[in-house]
């Protein structure tokens, strides 16, 4: 991809992906869904998830699946607030960039 | 490299991390490979890369805390293979989260302060017989220094006043002799004015030293002492 994905945007995408399931979702699925939008290696996400967890934006719990425990990630209220902030910021930013591409009519 | 070896190697490479961190990471990748449908004998390298890369990314993510605790060496393995984009992301993350984890660390360190304070108090008691003579010596040195400063100031003041006085007297003398020896008297008048000027300059210099430079110097000394004390206090708590 031509455009770099900064840390904040990656955080925002991860939070958005996790927030889509009220019950939470697991590492493999998060990775696959994030990989649909941005190009990253399959091992990039663990440190990000771990950090979001440490920052209390995500919480984890284990759930039985196919005879083993699978770790699920879920948004905390703090993570939810953070996601809202990211979303508002992204709308502002992407709107500005888009209007610039459209000839600066609104800018 | 098959899955079993990969997990074993990864676990080994993460040795030295806090046990919880290591278990967490290993479990994540076990989960991940199970969910990706990778059997124990299957090659995982095409999916995850080498265990070294994965371990480096995990350690990178924890680097902030490690650096502050100073327990683990960061360069126990090669990080060169990690992708540039990934590094950029990690660096941004580190920068962004530094503040918060910094706050966590300071609260964490407070646990040690009790023992440190006891030790410092003990040190203070034991050092008492040495401290008193040292304090006396410091006081004497300070008194001598002050006396020297006062002497220098008084000297300058006297010199300035005397210069002005001598200048004025010789000016008057020269004026009375102006009719008798015009050339000599004019020369003397010039010299007198020069001396008066010098005296005024000296007095002004002295005023500047006493009212500007000296207070500034004292303030500097006080600041230096208090900053030293503060640093000592910071180390204690």
């Amino acid at each position: 991809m031509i455009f770099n994905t900064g840390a904040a945007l990656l955080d925002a995408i991860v939070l958005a992906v996790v927030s889509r399931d009220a019950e939470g979702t697991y590492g493999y699925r998060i990775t696959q869904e994030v990989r649909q939008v941005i190009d990253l290696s399959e091992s990039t996400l663990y440190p990000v998830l771990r950090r979001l967890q440490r920052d209390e934006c995500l919480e984890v719990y284990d759930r039985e699946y196919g005879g083993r425990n699978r770790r699920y990630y879920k948004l905390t209220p703090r993570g939810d607030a953070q996601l809202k902030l990211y979303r508002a910021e992204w709308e502002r930013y992407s709107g500005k960039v888009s209007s610039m591409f459209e000839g600066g009519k609104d800018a | 490299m098959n899955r079993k070896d990969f997990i074993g190697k990864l676990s080994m490479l993460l040795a030295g991390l806090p046990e919880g961190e290591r278990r967490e990471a290993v479990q994540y990748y076990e989960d991940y490979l199970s969910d990706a449908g990778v059997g124990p004998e299957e090659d995982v390298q095409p999916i995850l890369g080498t265990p070294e890369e994965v371990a480096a990314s995990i350690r990178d993510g924890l680097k902030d805390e490690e650096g502050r605790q100073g327990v683990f060496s960061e360069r126990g393995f090669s990080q060169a293979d990690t992708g540039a984009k990934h590094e950029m992301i990690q660096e941004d993350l580190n920068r962004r989260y530094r503040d918060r984890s910094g706050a966590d660390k300071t609260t964490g360190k407070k646990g040690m302060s009790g023992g440190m304070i006891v030790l410092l108090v003990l040190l203070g008691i034991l050092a008492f017989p040495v401290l008193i003579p040292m304090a006396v010596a410091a006081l004497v040195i300070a008194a001598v220094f002050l006396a020297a400063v006062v002497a220098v100031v008084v000297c300058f003041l006297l010199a300035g006043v005397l210069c002005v006085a001598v200048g004025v007297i010789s000016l008057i003398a020269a004026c009375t002799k102006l009719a008798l020896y015009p050339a000599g008297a004019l020369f003397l008048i010039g010299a007198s004015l020069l001396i008066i000027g010098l005296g005024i300059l000296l007095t002004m210099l002295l005023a500047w030293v006493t009212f500007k430079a000296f207070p500034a110097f004292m303030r500097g000394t006080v600041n230096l002492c208090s900053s030293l004390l503060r640093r000592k206090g910071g180390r204690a708590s």
Side-chain angles (χ1 to χ4, degrees):
Chain A
M1 196 170 68
I2 304 173
F3 301 111
N4 280 334
T5 306
L9 187 52
L10 182 58
D11 277 12
I13 292 169
V14 169
L15 289 176
V17 166
V18 176
S19 77
R20 290 206 281 191
D21 287 280
E23 303 226 305
T25 179
Y26 50 95
Y28 180 75
R29 223 173 106 193
I30 299 171
T31 306
Q32 299 312 317
E33 288 189 24
V34 171
R35 271 157 65 87
Q36 286 173 8
V37 226
I38 52 174
D39 174 32
L40 43 75
S41 80
E42 301 203 46
S43 57
T44 306
L45 234 43
Y46 173 72
V48 178
L49 288 168
R50 184 80 188 101
R51 204 184 286 277
L52 285 169
Q53 187 191 336
R54 258 205 317 268
D55 284 342
E56 288 161 19
C57 286
L58 293 179
E59 58 190 358
V60 298
Y61 65 95
D62 291 333
R63 200 203 285 166
E64 169 91 24
Y65 174 84
R68 63 186 172 88
N69 268 336
R70 186 152 72 186
R71 174 141 295 189
Y72 279 74
Y73 293 84
K74 209 173 121 182
L75 234 61
T76 62
R78 186 176 184 158
D80 193 49
Q82 188 73 9
L83 175 61
K84 284 204 178 79
L85 188 123
Y86 279 139
R87 195 178 287 147
E89 197 60 24
W90 174 257
E91 266 160 29
R92 211 174 57 80
Y93 173 71
S94 62
K96 272 191 191 170
V97 174
S98 300
S99 74
M100 197 62 92
F101 286 151
E102 282 152 19
K105 275 168 269 172
D106 311 325
Chain B
M1 186 179 275
N2 69 32
R3 175 175 167 171
K4 249 183 357 208
D5 292 344
F6 180 93
I7 292 294
K9 188 88 190 286
L10 178 65
S11 182
M12 200 192 75
L13 286 167
L14 293 178
L17 290 187
E19 188 50 35
E21 287 294 342
R22 185 162 82 144
R23 233 182 339 197
E24 187 97 18
V26 170
Q27 200 208 324
Y28 176 89
Y29 281 105
E30 285 272 25
D31 265 14
Y32 194 95
L33 291 168
S34 296
D35 287 324
V38 176
E41 303 299 333
E42 271 179 70
D43 186 15
V44 298
Q45 209 126 314
I47 302 174
L48 294 177
T50 67
E52 283 82 7
E53 284 166 357
V54 173
S57 77
I58 293 167
R59 280 178 185 270
D60 260 7
L62 297 169
K63 204 186 260 173
D64 254 8
E65 289 181 41
E66 282 182 25
R68 212 168 278 110
Q69 286 172 349
V71 176
F72 309 104
S73 92
E74 289 164 354
R75 303 263 168 232
F77 55 92
S78 163
Q79 294 182 337
D81 293 345
T82 331
K85 184 192 281 182
H86 171 75
E87 265 168 26
M88 185 206 75
I89 288 170
Q90 280 312 315
E91 203 178 288
D92 276 10
L93 276 173
N94 289 349
R95 206 177 311 122
R96 242 157 42 77
Y97 291 108
R98 192 159 291 145
D99 291 346
R100 195 174 303 152
S101 41
D104 288 352
K105 277 284 127 3
T106 33
T107 46
K109 257 183 196 155
K110 264 180 191 148
M112 283 165 31
S113 67
M116 280 301 280
I117 285 173
V118 169
L119 279 178
L120 278 176
V121 168
L122 211 64
L123 179 74
I125 293 169
L126 289 177
F128 208 58
V130 184
L131 279 180
I132 287 181
M134 271 173 72
V136 170
L139 268 177
V140 169
I141 289 171
V144 168
F145 181 74
L146 200 69
V149 169
V150 168
V152 168
V153 166
V154 169
C155 281
F156 269 85
L157 186 69
L158 274 179
V161 168
L162 279 178
C163 275
V164 173
V166 167
V168 169
I169 290 169
S170 53
L171 186 66
I172 292 167
C175 283
T176 56
K177 300 288 187 301
L178 196 56
L180 275 172
Y181 317 102
L186 274 177
F187 176 75
L188 201 59
I189 287 174
S192 314
L193 287 174
L194 206 69
I195 288 176
I196 292 174
L198 200 68
I200 290 173
L201 206 66
L202 264 176
T203 319
M204 276 171 69
L205 186 72
L206 182 80
W208 180 79
V209 165
T210 23
F211 295 115
K212 285 270 169 67
F214 192 62
F217 171 73
M218 287 311 267
R219 225 176 298 127
T221 316
V222 168
N223 282 345
L224 185 73
C225 289
S226 65
S227 80
L228 279 177
L229 280 176
R230 220 176 301 130
R231 206 176 306 151
K232 208 184 268 172
R235 224 179 287 140
S237 64

